[in-house]
Amino acid sequence: MMRQPDLVELVKAYDPRADEAVLNRAYVYSMKAHGAQLRESGDPYFSHPVEVAGLLARMKLDTASIVTGLLHDTVEDTVATLDDIERLFGPEICRLVDGVTKLSRLELQSDQTKQAENFRKLVLAMSEDIRVLLVKLADRLHNMQTLRFIKNADKRRQIARETMDIYAPLAERIGMHRMKDQLEDLAFAELYPDARGSVMARLGFLRDRGGDIVARITAELTRKLSEGGLTASVSGREKSACSIWRKMQRKDVPFEQLADVMAFRVLVDDVGQCYHALGTIHSAYHVVPGRFKDYISTPKPNNYRSLHTGVIGPERQRIEVQIRTREMHEVAELGVAAHWIYKQEAGRTDGPQYRWLRELVDILEHSSPEEFVEHTKLEMFQDQVFAFTPKGEVIALPRGATPVDFAYAVHSQIGDTCVGAKINGRLLPLRTKLNNGDQVEIVTSKAQTPSPTWERFVVTGKARARIRRYIRTQQRAQYLDLGKAIVQKAYRQEGQEFSERPLQLVLKQLNCATTDDLYVAVGEGILTGREVVNAAFPHAPDAAKDKVVPLSRARRRSTGKDQAVSIRGLIPGMALHFAGCCHPLPGDRIVGIVTTGKGVTIHTIDCDTLETFNDEPERWIDVAWSSDEAESVHVGRINVTIANEPGNLGSLTTTIGKQGGNISNLKITNRSQDFFEIMVDIQVADVKQLSTIIAALRATPVINSVERARG
Ligand code: MN
């Protein structure tokens, strides 16, 4: 256990102005408060806060943090009160101890909700003063270092799991990579002893076979750099067992095939030398494509700066090389703790590097604790890409994010109305995956609404939640309208005046909570209009009452005039959709596909999508347009290729307008140097009108090609 004068000396070494008296008082106070308490290891309990204070001193933190380390368990585990702490050590330390104490009380709640709540409190506490988290991390590190003394195996696992899921990623997020590595490896050893054992054994085997390969490569890199005129300190290490194991899982490869298990670090004096060293290494060895990252010109949000590259090294092995200045290295290892002594901004969290923290707090206030943990695990801890707004603001997104994710990250409204994205000045599809450093300009339109297809490619929780919510309300509104129309039609056939009153009386019988729910059920095809009417007017004579009619018979029985919708061949009251792939129009030959719970989807007979249903003949229904369809409006979809010249888009829309077509949607699906590919949805009466429009477009010189969409 560290003695009182050793601790003071350790602090004085980096902070000569440190208040020695308060350190001494805290040391003695904590020792007396914990008295004869013992840890599970049999050590005096007091050894724990002293070790925590020692870890904080090694991070070169301010006196208040170290005093908090000494006192952090006194309020929770001894008779000391917050009032005592405030009286003896002042309000600042009292606030810090209070923050850490609150977190300790919430720790290790086994059920999901409580653990999530714990995490929520942690984020809130550290958003007020980041030092609360620093003390908590040191506390957790010492507990992990002494984890083996805890006899209860479940409790050990739980502590390790929490460390792995919450504390290690948080340490990384604030740039404390050394802390993160230590926490992660200790947790990994507890949670996956077999996996760790086998990785360690393989590393040992390689070491035996290759001799001291790390030392040889280190020496070789040093020599190459000094030939290039650089005095650099090079160090090499095997990557941690946990990170190797994770990579094996992520890439699904056995250890033998795993490249770069070794990482080398080159430290130089200034930024210019970093790029000089990079040039020297790249000209000496083959570069592994796709591995170069420049976090010097674009630092990570946690202020991490470094050059990363991968090369086929001197021993024909893939190695990772990180190049940075000594100052950058200190930040990389210690993160927010690095500049503590120089900047006396004690714990403030309003700088731009804490934007993520403020966002977390924001999300916290608008979601349940479980959702929050899920969201945070998904987004905060993942590999990220950093894209820029046109004004140069950095938006951090998970890897694989698209312009739609970007738009939602900037503002929900921008996400909802985005129609296109310019990435580095080029208009590209919304599904494009963003790369680090992309500048993204979102094109919006007030007429746009979230599209269901976005859900297939977005990766952020925020975007997905907004899109889903929109689709749900949208679908419900459509089903509601359709269902209401079907019920009204069924009333007419029954000779009844429409009124909601009889429906309200049978809601329970039909398993619906409200009349709107009832309409939605009918719209979705879960109930038929006839079932509803039969329930509402049980006395009414009806042959088909309460009988489920097989589809084939229903088709034979049905005639043109008793349709709830004006397509011949459908069961009365069945919900109907026009397929979005082929956009059938009156005059097209069509076919219906039945989907349980969703009704019938109408496709054109030559739609490519139909191939998917080839093996399910029972789902096909013959349908035809009925005559009164002619009065309604349908949407036809065409794909147009047009030369990329000023005014050409104008010719396209004018030509369509002259033929009486009303454009309901227009979307540039691809844009190259020479051509646009555009998808146009046009409201037309029937296929004849669409054919006329297509013919007119083909006659227009600037238009390269026109095709009707075929699924
Ligand atoms: Mn503790």
Side-chain angles (χ1 to χ4, degrees):
M1 180 165 62
M2 194 183 287
R3 294 176 315 124
Q4 188 174 342
D6 298 339
L7 180 65
V8 173
E9 195 183 321
L10 186 61
V11 176
K12 282 282 191 183
Y14 65 86
D15 185 7
R17 292 166 310 166
D19 184 349
E20 206 172 313
V22 74
L23 284 170
N24 285 327
R25 248 188 303 138
Y27 191 101
V28 173
Y29 183 84
S30 179
M31 181 164 58
K32 282 188 180 155
H34 287 292
Q37 290 173 347
L38 295 180
R39 303 202 91 206
E40 283 207 43
S41 61
D43 286 338
Y45 193 93
F46 176 59
S47 64
H48 166 66
V50 170
E51 288 306 323
V52 171
L55 288 167
L56 293 164
R58 275 178 219 108
M59 291 186 231
K60 302 185 181 171
L61 291 189
D62 64 343
T63 312
S65 305
I66 292 158
V67 169
T68 305
L70 286 168
L71 301 176
H72 80 272
D73 278 333
T74 52
V75 175
E76 181 66 9
D77 294 340
T78 77
V79 294
T81 66
L82 277 174
D83 287 343
D84 299 337
I85 302 286
E86 171 143 29
R87 191 164 35 79
L88 292 165
F89 299 97
E92 184 191 17
I93 284 165
C94 175
R95 200 165 37 77
L96 290 169
V97 172
D98 186 31
V100 180
T101 305
K102 278 185 182 141
L103 295 178
S104 305
R105 282 193 187 139
L106 286 156
E107 237 161 27
L108 296 174
Q109 313 269 15
S110 57
D111 77 90
Q112 196 67 28
T113 310
K114 283 185 181 161
Q115 210 179 30
E117 182 59 24
N118 170 17
F119 187 36
R120 204 178 91 94
K121 289 265 163 64
L122 174 63
V123 171
L124 287 175
M126 74 192 188
S127 72
E128 272 158 27
D129 193 322
I130 200 78
R131 288 177 295 179
V132 172
L133 176 62
L134 299 180
V135 176
K136 195 65 219 166
L137 286 172
D139 176 38
R140 181 47 68 109
L141 180 58
H142 186 246
N143 285 336
M144 286 303 295
Q145 286 167 343
T146 53
L147 188 67
R148 62 186 182 281
F149 295 115
I150 292 179
K151 287 169 197 88
N152 181 335
D154 284 344
K155 196 172 169 201
R156 279 202 312 270
R157 286 189 67 79
Q158 210 181 329
I159 294 173
R161 172 57 48 213
E162 202 178 63
T163 303
M164 187 75 116
D165 284 352
I166 293 176
Y167 290 98
L170 277 175
E172 181 173 36
R173 202 63 179 75
I174 58 171
M176 303 178 72
H177 290 97
R178 194 188 295 162
M179 171 70 81
K180 177 228 164 197
D181 284 347
Q182 291 176 32
L183 288 173
E184 203 173 65
D185 262 8
L186 289 163
F188 184 57
E190 176 63 38
L191 293 171
Y192 306 100
D194 297 345
R196 185 170 185 276
S198 68
V199 171
M200 297 303 273
R202 286 298 306 174
L203 283 172
F205 173 76
L206 288 183
R207 225 175 288 137
D208 291 347
R209 203 182 50 179
D212 202 350
I213 187 166
V214 173
R216 287 205 308 275
I217 295 177
T218 303
E220 184 59 23
L221 287 175
T222 312
R223 199 178 60 78
K224 273 277 183 311
L225 288 164
S226 92
E227 278 174 19
L230 283 161
T231 321
S233 42
V234 182
S235 60
R237 64 188 167 95
E238 287 158 349
K239 291 189 177 170
S240 76
C242 182
S243 75
I244 290 175
W245 186 70
R246 242 186 221 152
K247 204 175 228 178
M248 283 163 65
Q249 290 208 314
R250 196 170 58 223
K251 301 199 168 158
D252 198 20
V253 293
F255 189 93
E256 288 72 17
Q257 287 167 31
L258 198 68
D260 56 15
V261 295
M262 284 173 292
F264 294 84
R265 191 169 292 143
V266 175
L267 299 184
V268 291
D269 290 331
D270 57 45
V271 172
Q273 289 186 5
C274 289
Y275 291 98
H276 185 171
L278 179 76
T280 309
I281 288 169
H282 278 190
S283 51
Y285 307 106
H286 283 294
V287 175
V288 179
R291 298 301 300 271
F292 173 63
K293 293 190 189 85
D294 186 344
Y295 295 120
I296 290 181
S297 71
T298 310
K300 291 191 180 185
N302 62 20
N303 271 342
Y304 176 82
R305 298 174 79 205
S306 188
L307 300 174
H308 288 190
T309 190
V311 295
I312 311 292
E315 308 239 343
R316 315 291 312 150
Q317 295 245 23
R318 261 174 74 159
I319 55 171
E320 185 185 297
V321 184
Q322 303 177 348
I323 304 164
R324 53 199 182 224
T325 66
R326 291 180 175 84
E327 195 193 333
M328 290 173 193
H329 181 60
E330 189 156 68
V331 176
E333 293 284 286
L334 296 174
V336 292
H339 290 304
W340 214 263
I341 283 311
Y342 318 110
K343 297 188 215 162
Q344 291 292 345
E345 288 179 354
R348 286 180 58 184
T349 55
D350 47 2
Q353 70 270 35
Y354 292 119
R355 190 189 146 130
W356 62 276
L357 189 53
R358 290 193 296 277
E359 280 173 359
L360 272 186
V361 173
D362 189 53
I363 294 162
L364 267 175
E365 283 161 4
H366 302 287
S367 55
S368 75
E370 293 88 344
E371 271 172 355
F372 176 67
V373 167
E374 206 38 49
H375 174 97
T376 316
K377 271 190 193 160
L378 281 175
E379 293 189 4
M380 183 171 106
F381 305 156
Q382 246 177 22
D383 276 353
Q384 296 191 302
V385 292
F386 304 104
F388 297 91
T389 67
K391 285 181 188 156
E393 199 184 349
V394 180
I395 302 289
L397 294 162
R399 183 150 300 179
T402 63
V404 176
D405 294 296
F406 181 92
Y408 276 108
V410 174
H411 197 281
S412 306
Q413 195 58 36
I414 295 179
D416 283 348
T417 56
C418 79
V419 285
K422 279 187 186 166
I423 302 173
N424 305 321
R426 280 179 64 213
L427 200 58
L428 288 168
L430 286 173
R431 59 180 331 113
T432 310
K433 285 190 172 37
L434 295 177
N435 291 313
N436 260 321
D438 278 346
Q439 199 204 62
V440 185
E441 186 185 341
I442 299 294
V443 185
T444 60
S445 155
K446 281 202 183 108
Q448 177 69 326
T449 54
S451 156
T453 56
W454 293 354
E455 217 195 319
R456 280 185 235 138
F457 56 76
V458 297
V459 299
T460 51
K462 185 176 180 196
R464 187 164 292 136
R466 287 287 300 195
I467 296 164
R468 265 193 211 154
R469 195 192 319 161
Y470 180 82
I471 294 168
R472 265 202 306 271
T473 39
Q474 219 34 33
Q475 261 176 358
R476 187 176 157 89
Q478 279 172 10
Y479 282 133
L480 197 149
D481 286 351
L482 180 63
K484 191 165 184 182
I486 291 169
V487 171
Q488 285 174 340
K489 180 118 190 180
Y491 264 69
R492 277 202 296 283
Q493 285 165 354
E494 203 60 48
Q496 298 283 349
E497 189 74 15
F498 179 72
S499 142
E500 288 198 344
R501 187 85 195 106
L503 297 182
Q504 282 157 2
L505 299 173
V506 294
L507 284 176
K508 215 173 178 181
Q509 181 189 338
L510 294 173
N511 255 331
C512 298
T514 64
T515 43
D516 278 0
D517 287 347
L518 179 101
Y519 296 141
V520 171
V522 174
E524 282 182 307
I526 294 165
L527 288 171
T528 65
R530 185 145 301 279
E531 282 173 307
V532 173
V533 169
N534 287 346
F537 307 101
H539 54 280
D542 182 5
K545 187 167 157 183
D546 292 338
K547 245 167 71 186
V548 180
V549 185
L551 211 55
S552 55
R553 274 182 49 213
R555 202 168 40 182
R556 256 181 273 122
R557 282 187 336 144
S558 62
T559 63
K561 64 179 198 310
D562 68 343
Q563 305 301 308
V565 287
S566 40
I567 290 270
R568 268 180 283 175
L570 288 185
I571 301 169
M574 197 154 212
L576 168 86
H577 319 266
F578 293 100
C581 43
C582 52
H583 291 262
L585 297 173
D588 279 329
R589 286 187 56 212
I590 49 176
V591 68
I593 298 291
V594 181
T595 306
T596 313
K598 292 221 161 168
V600 175
T601 308
I602 307 295
H603 292 267
T604 62
I605 198 83
D606 55 355
C607 176
D608 295 338
T609 312
L610 291 174
E611 270 183 42
T612 18
F613 306 108
N614 271 347
D615 298 336
E616 298 169 281
E618 69 283 356
R619 294 179 62 184
W620 295 57
I621 332 179
D622 293 327
V623 287
W625 300 96
S626 66
S627 51
D628 58 342
E629 262 309 306
E631 295 151 25
S632 58
V633 171
H634 291 265
V635 174
R637 173 170 291 182
I638 57 173
N639 294 318
V640 183
T641 311
I642 188 169
N644 184 358
E645 285 158 12
N648 285 0
L649 262 177
S651 321
L652 171 76
T653 51
T654 313
T655 310
I656 294 171
K658 272 189 189 156
Q659 302 302 323
N662 185 21
I663 297 178
S664 63
N665 191 12
L666 185 147
K667 189 167 157 192
I668 297 174
T669 51
N670 205 350
R671 190 173 105 157
S672 65
Q673 203 64 21
D674 310 325
F675 293 102
F676 286 118
E677 283 168 34
I678 305 173
M679 190 197 81
V680 193
D681 289 345
I682 312 171
Q683 291 178 351
V684 289
D686 56 19
V687 70
K688 237 174 86 191
Q689 192 189 357
L690 189 69
S691 304
T692 316
I693 292 171
I694 291 175
L697 288 173
R698 284 185 176 148
T700 311
V702 299
I703 287 168
N704 197 257
S705 74
V706 188
E707 296 296 337
R708 202 168 153 201
R710 286 281 175 238

